Amino acid sequence: MSMADIIRTGERVAPAHYELDEAQWRAMINAAPLWFIAHWCDDRRAYALFLERERPLLASTALSQKRYFALSSRLPAASWPERIAQDLWGTQPLDAADTDPALDHGFWTRGWPWSSRSGPGAAPPPLRAEDEPFCDRTGPFALNGPTLKLGFSHRGLLQNMHGLKPEEALRFVGRATANGFVAHALAYSRAIEQAVGVRPTAAARDGRSILSEIERISVHLRDITATARLTGAGLLATHAELAEDLLAELCLRHGASRRLLDSITPEGIAPGIEAPPLAQAAYTALMPRLPLLDKLHRQFSENLRRIGLISLSQIEALSIGGLTGRASGRSFDLRQHEDDMRHVPGRAGSLLAGDAWARERLRLAEIRDSLRRIERIGAGFAAELPAPPMPPVGSGEGFGAAEGAHGDIWYWVRLREGKIDTLYARDPALSLLPALPALLRHETAPELALTSFGFSPSGAEL
């Protein structure tokens, strides 16, 4: 039996969620794997989210005295999520590949802070010189030699949203990471809409798509700027930064904030945002700037060769998606499976080099594709498209996903009496974590490598 078949032998509790007993869970682990998306725990159950033919499939199993059989015994990509769940909930993954703390390095004042069994943590040890936070442009983490450490800024964001109304939680979701104000809010909104069985209007759909592509362009330009600065490509950094600033000014001029904060609402997009004119203005202003960015990139591209190299086999073994996956040969892009086919996304395709040069090259190509997409969506704004089947009404559970600038973002929510009973979010940073220790161990320029990935630890510390 395939993994999907085994999962479906469990009790179906929601359209794509099956509860498994211990024997079924162990059989699932030993089956040929589906594409792994996420793993998490709570006080009662362990969960595993997979893709089956690009559709989510969720399995869960009851914990026995906080124990469960570890996915990482067969799925290396599950190791970091298991360690994170161990720190936050006190769960014990049996036969796990690694049980070292992922977040709690002895500095937390409470152990297992999300569990009902939470208690005082150990006395914090003295901060050693090698544990001093190394700060990138988006958040603190520690580089202890070649080892990446998280946990210095974990916010407990997801747990703090329990009991909120969906519209109340949206404000917090929209601040999850600085690189995903739109993408996180979009994925979450789609999960809520599926849970309650509603579909956004055509205008909401198109407005959200335009803002999502605007954010993708902005984040790509920001990553290009940061990478260029680290390689001494000052002229490229200046022009990329000027382009990002121009885009921010256009957002402000058309009723949004510079970084599109709070632009996604339960109804679609925030009142006052002029999405079609913004799309046309962005296309007109930025498209003529791309040839110069391409030329400057070619002049400095040798500085990025073989930096942060990650192979297609590693991508597939660790289930890494997004731009990192596409730069190594995996062409998956969630936008290819959306209903809007007026401009098929993903035309930038994929590359095979798998290094910082490929990621930079792909960013420039994706900026061009995003500009083309928003120009076409703006020209046919709110067009009626063939509607997909309505999600089941009343299940109370929903999945939502969006292709952010750094990769696919996933939300799972469960509602009870109109409020959030529980939820989980998977940011692309979390999918990249399993690859980083080995990569950094052999990397001569670790800061440049991390920057070339667009790695933001805040996405892994929700």
Side-chain angles (χ1 to χ4, degrees), residues 133-145:
F134 166 87
C135 292
D136 75 347
R137 63 189 185 282
T138 54
F141 57 95
L143 278 173
N144 185 359

Side-chain angles (χ1 to χ4, degrees), residues 38-52:
H39 165 56
W40 67 97
C41 295
D42 57 27
D43 264 335
R44 299 185 302 109
R45 306 190 70 82
Y47 300 82
L49 179 61
F50 303 94
L51 275 188
E52 181 196 22

Side-chain angles (χ1 to χ4, degrees), residues 199-203 205-206 209 338-343 373 376-377 380-389:
R199 183 186 296 124
T201 66
R205 176 203 67 210
D206 286 358
S209 292
E338 294 178 2
D339 305 308
D340 185 356
M341 300 300 290
R342 286 167 293 176
H343 172 61
R373 186 175 193 225
R376 294 193 185 185
I377 293 176
F381 192 77
E384 293 298 329
L385 301 177

Side-chain angles (χ1 to χ4, degrees), residues 99-412:
T99 57
D100 286 343
L103 303 174
D104 184 1
H105 307 293
F107 297 96
W108 287 5
T109 57
R110 294 191 68 81
W112 314 333
W114 288 9
S115 172
S116 60
R117 299 166 54 210
S118 176
L127 187 66
R128 300 170 299 175
E130 59 266 31
D131 286 331
E132 286 288 346
F134 166 87
C135 292
D136 75 347
R137 63 189 185 282
T138 54
F141 57 95
L143 278 173
N144 185 359
T147 303
L148 182 72
K149 281 189 176 182
L150 300 177
F152 293 94
S153 62
H154 197 278
R155 294 165 288 166
L157 180 69
L158 300 180
Q159 189 72 358
N160 290 337
M161 288 190 286
H162 288 193
L164 297 181
K165 295 179 180 178
E167 60 272 21
E168 294 172 338
L170 179 59
R171 179 174 175 81
F172 295 97
V173 169
R175 288 162 169 75
T177 73
N179 295 318
F181 291 149
V182 174
H184 269 267
L186 179 55
Y188 167 81
S189 296
R190 287 171 172 170
I192 294 294
E193 287 159 1
Q194 186 181 99
V196 299
V198 301
R199 183 186 296 124
T201 66
R205 176 203 67 210
D206 286 358
R208 289 171 171 180
S209 292
I210 288 172
L211 296 181
S212 178
E213 296 302 318
I214 293 284
E215 179 175 74
R216 181 185 318 281
I217 296 166
S218 177
V219 174
H220 280 347
L221 288 169
R222 198 175 312 139
D223 288 339
I224 290 170
T225 299
T227 302
R229 283 177 176 154
L230 289 175
T231 57
L235 192 57
L236 174 59
T238 297
H239 280 279
E241 188 173 36
L242 288 172
E244 184 197 354
D245 188 65
L246 174 58
L247 187 59
E249 286 296 320
L250 291 175
C251 290
L252 197 63
R253 196 178 304 165
H254 290 86
S257 66
R258 290 175 58 89
R259 296 283 290 276
L260 300 178
L261 187 64
D262 296 328
S263 61
I264 302 296
T265 68
E267 295 76 26
I269 64 174
I273 297 180
E274 304 165 339
L278 172 58
Q280 186 59 53
Y283 178 87
T284 302
L286 266 66
M287 190 63 84
R289 293 172 175 259
L290 294 186
L292 178 59
L293 292 177
D294 280 331
K295 179 181 178 180
L296 293 172
H297 164 72
R298 288 194 296 271
Q299 291 176 358
F300 294 97
S301 61
E302 286 304 315
N303 295 331
L304 300 175
R305 302 274 185 181
R306 309 292 297 178
I307 296 294
L309 182 63
I310 184 166
S311 68
L312 179 58
S313 61
Q314 291 173 298
I315 292 292
E316 292 175 338
L318 298 175
S319 298
I320 299 172
L323 182 135
T324 297
R326 292 191 289 276
S328 296
R330 186 192 180 223
S331 60
F332 177 71
D333 185 328
L334 273 174
R335 296 174 298 163
Q336 294 169 333
H337 304 281
E338 294 178 2
D339 305 308
D340 185 356
M341 300 300 290
R342 286 167 293 176
H343 172 61
V344 178
R347 287 179 59 185
S350 59
L351 298 173
L352 297 175
D355 56 7
W357 171 86
R359 293 187 285 277
E360 192 90 338
R361 180 75 251 154
L362 204 53
R363 283 188 178 98
L364 289 164
E366 290 192 359
I367 289 172
R368 179 174 285 103
D369 278 357
S370 289
L371 288 170
R372 289 171 176 161
R373 186 175 193 225
I374 63 174
E375 193 272 337
R376 294 193 185 185
I377 293 176
F381 192 77
E384 293 298 329
L385 301 177
M390 279 290 290
V393 178
S395 71
E397 282 193 20
F399 296 98
E403 186 72 26
H406 292 154
D408 46 318
I409 296 167
W410 291 85
Y411 274 77
W412 170 74

